[in-house]
Amino acid sequence: METAERFRDAVEKGELDALGELFTEDIRLYSPVKFTPFEGRPMVLGLFGVLLRTFEDFRYVGDFEGTAETSGDGEAARSAILVFRAAVNGKEIHGIDLLQFDEAGLIKEFTVMVRPQSAVHALGQAVLEGLVADGLAPQAVDR
C-alpha cells in the first residue's frame, strides 16, 4: 500500500502509531493557523492527536498525485493531495492535505489548507485549546 493510502487509512481509523511510522523524524507540518511549521515527529503526532479529537465527521473525498516543490528545501518531491470535508464546532470545513515524500517514501512535509475563513478561525481556536490541554503549547496569558 502506498504511503498516501496508508496515511489515509491511519487517519480514518485514528491510529496515531501507524501515522508515526509514515513520518520522517524531522517532518514539518504547515498549518493554516500558524505561520511557522510544527516540526519533528513528536510534535506533529501530538498535533494529530488533537486534530483527531477536534474534527467532527472527518472524511476524505478525493485525491491527486504528482510532484511539487517543498517549502523546506525547495526540491521537487513526489506529492499527494487528499481532499477532505469535516466540521469543527458545527462549522463546515473544506480542505486539502498536501503530503510530500522523501526518497524512502516517508512524509517529510505536510501542508494543510482549509476554507472558509470562519472555519479556519474555529479550527485554530479548537486546536490551540487541545494543544494547551495536552501540554504541547503554553497557556495564553490575558493582559
Side-chain angles (χ1 to χ4, degrees):
M1 184 184 300
E2 291 273 336
T3 303
E5 293 169 354
R6 291 175 55 208
F7 173 84
R8 179 179 180 160
D9 188 56
V11 168
E12 289 174 341
K13 292 179 180 175
E15 297 175 344
L16 282 177
D17 290 340
L19 283 175
E21 295 172 7
L22 302 175
F23 298 154
T24 61
E25 271 300 317
D26 60 349
I27 185 171
R28 300 177 84 166
L29 187 145
Y30 295 89
S31 161
V33 297
K34 184 175 179 277
F35 184 73
T36 58
F38 292 91
E39 296 187 74
R41 185 183 293 153
M43 185 63 186
V44 171
L45 282 174
L47 176 61
F48 266 95
V50 172
L51 290 170
L52 292 173
R53 292 192 317 263
T54 300
F55 282 123
E56 304 153 13
D57 190 29
F58 184 93
R59 63 210 178 276
Y60 284 111
V61 297
D63 58 85
F64 302 92
E65 291 189 18
T67 59
E69 188 178 291
T70 63
S71 296
D73 60 19
E75 297 293 321
R78 190 172 60 81
S79 305
I81 295 174
L82 302 175
V83 181
F84 67 86
R85 301 285 185 264
V88 172
N89 295 329
K91 299 252 186 223
E92 288 296 317
I93 292 179
H94 297 184
I96 63 167
D97 290 335
L98 169 60
L99 289 67
Q100 296 187 279
F101 309 100
D102 71 1
E103 301 78 30
L106 296 176
I107 301 167
K108 69 178 185 174
E109 276 193 19
F110 189 100
T111 303
V112 180
M113 297 181 202
V114 298
R115 63 157 305 279
Q117 194 277 331
S118 60
V120 173
H121 180 72
L123 177 62
Q125 283 297 117
V127 168
L128 178 59
E129 290 169 9
L131 290 172
V132 168
D134 289 0
L136 297 170
Q139 178 72 40
V141 178
D142 292 329
R143 293 190 180 232

